[in-house]
Amino acid sequence: AALCTALPTCDDSRVVTGLVSASGAVRSAVDLVGIRPVRVSKNTLSASAEYSFQVAEGYERLNRIDYRYESKQNASDNTALGTMQLPARSIANFNSRITHGPYDLVLYVNNLNNNTVPAATAFAVRLNDFVGNPVSQLAPLRTYGVTFRYSF
């Protein structure tokens, strides 16, 4: 069926016919149950750890690390090249905070492991082989900084 040509895992048994739309027109559709949408990982893990302690009288310290893992994702439904996939990736962020009364000082590092997170992949032909090269990023490379706040 023409509806299935756009999906790599679709076959004629997934086409549902005879559906009536709100306007009363009879339509056909593809049952997408069990088909993972584009840019959705099969496996995802998020974890955080936080440790706070008193440094001195009136000074509180808080250290926090956040971690996220995402397995590979389909970057497209179906193309002449087949389904393009983005690689698995992990991102870790760290911050350390010191508070004293209304003062708050935060040191942070985002993307500790300096991993790239490609948003898309360009394909180039080399000796009848397809090689994916990242062309844009969803997340910046490692960033770090200091934030100072005063609450009143």
Side-chain angles (χ1 to χ4, degrees), residues 124-147:
V125 177
R126 292 189 186 150
L127 302 174
N128 298 323
D129 188 29
F130 291 103
V131 179
N133 301 303
V135 293
S136 62
Q137 304 294 325
L138 283 179
L141 296 176
R142 182 181 302 129
T143 56
Y144 49 90
V146 176
T147 304

Side-chain angles (χ1 to χ4, degrees), residues 34-48:
I35 296 176
R36 193 169 350 115
V38 172
R39 302 290 303 172
V40 175
S41 299
K42 183 177 181 181
N43 300 305
T44 302
L45 169 72
S46 294
S48 295

Side-chain angles (χ1 to χ4, degrees):
L3 289 171
C4 276
T5 58
L7 297 169
T9 56
C10 186
D11 57 43
D12 290 339
S13 67
R14 287 188 169 275
V15 176
V16 179
T17 57
L19 300 173
V20 180
S21 68
S23 65
V26 176
R27 305 221 183 259
S28 296
V30 176
D31 177 9
L32 298 176
V33 173
I35 296 176
R36 193 169 350 115
V38 172
R39 302 290 303 172
V40 175
S41 299
K42 183 177 181 181
N43 300 305
T44 302
L45 169 72
S46 294
S48 295
E50 200 172 87
Y51 178 66
S52 66
F53 56 96
Q54 188 170 349
V55 179
E57 179 90 27
Y59 289 87
E60 183 80 15
R61 172 100 182 249
L62 177 109
N63 295 326
R64 179 182 173 97
I65 190 160
D66 298 301
Y67 174 79
R68 181 171 176 85
Y69 167 81
E70 294 177 341
S71 62
K72 64 185 176 183
Q73 300 174 348
N74 291 338
S76 65
D77 276 325
N78 193 12
T79 64
L81 304 175
T83 301
M84 292 184 278
Q85 291 192 327
L86 299 175
R89 61 194 169 276
S90 59
I91 300 288
N93 300 321
F94 173 78
N95 75 52
S96 183
R97 174 181 307 231
I98 298 175
T99 58
H100 177 68
Y103 302 102
D104 192 22
L105 178 68
V106 180
L107 308 170
Y108 66 88
V109 180
N110 292 327
N111 196 357
L112 275 171
N113 42 356
N114 209 25
N115 279 350
T116 58
V117 182
T121 304
F123 280 81
V125 177
R126 292 189 186 150
L127 302 174
N128 298 323
D129 188 29
F130 291 103
V131 179
N133 301 303
V135 293
S136 62
Q137 304 294 325
L138 283 179
L141 296 176
R142 182 181 302 129
T143 56
Y144 49 90
V146 176
T147 304
F148 178 76
R149 290 182 266 210
Y150 175 78
S151 300
F152 53 92

